[in-house]
């Protein structure tokens, strides 16, 4: 896994993201401030977020100009769709 730093302006939110979790942004921002980024944002080869929308919002609140990103260029479009769904479902279960 290769983690790269990317400008927050180059990380594109997924327009069909079903989760509305703005209530969590402040808590995630506090965690990032306390512990730093320990889980990168995952994007597809076009820079669109696969998972990590809340982390991006929190980074912007903190005034970060760059965020750690993993480019999931080894996944098909169907796998990316499944990954998005799985990530959202496991978060709901937790």
């Amino acid at each position: 896994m290769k983690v790269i730093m990317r400008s927050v302006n180059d990380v594109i939110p997924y327009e069909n993201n079903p989760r509305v979790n703005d209530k969590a942004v402040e808590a995630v921002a506090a965690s990032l401030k306390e512990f730093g980024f320990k889980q990168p944002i995952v994007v597809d080869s076009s820079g669109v977020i696969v998972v990590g929308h809340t982390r991006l919002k929190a980074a912007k609140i903190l005034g970060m100009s760059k965020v750690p990103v993993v480019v999931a260029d080894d996944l098909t479009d169907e796998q990316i769709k499944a990954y998005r769904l799985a990530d959202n479902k496991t978060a709901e279960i937790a």
Side-chain angles (χ1 to χ4, degrees), residues 15-47:
E15 64 182 30
N16 294 321
N17 183 29
R19 290 182 77 194
V20 179
N21 56 354
D22 289 338
K23 294 177 186 176
V25 175
E26 288 293 332
V28 173
S31 177
L32 290 178
K33 188 174 181 179
E34 175 78 18
F35 307 111
F37 250 101
K38 302 301 179 208
Q39 184 178 11
I41 296 168
V42 179
V43 299
D44 64 17
S45 57
S46 298

Side-chain angles (χ1 to χ4, degrees), residues 4-21:
I4 59 172
M5 296 302 291
R6 189 171 279 184
S7 168
V8 294
N9 298 322
D10 294 336
V11 179
I12 305 162
Y14 177 55
E15 64 182 30
N16 294 321
N17 183 29
R19 290 182 77 194
V20 179
N21 56 354

Side-chain angles (χ1 to χ4, degrees), residues 39-74:
Q39 184 178 11
I41 296 168
V42 179
V43 299
D44 64 17
S45 57
S46 298
V48 177
I49 296 176
V50 178
V51 297
H53 289 85
T54 307
R55 289 187 295 274
L56 178 64
K57 288 179 183 178
K60 287 181 175 181
I61 283 176
L62 293 173
M64 299 174 84
S65 60
K66 293 190 176 203
V67 291
V69 169
V70 171
V71 180
D73 55 6
D74 60 332

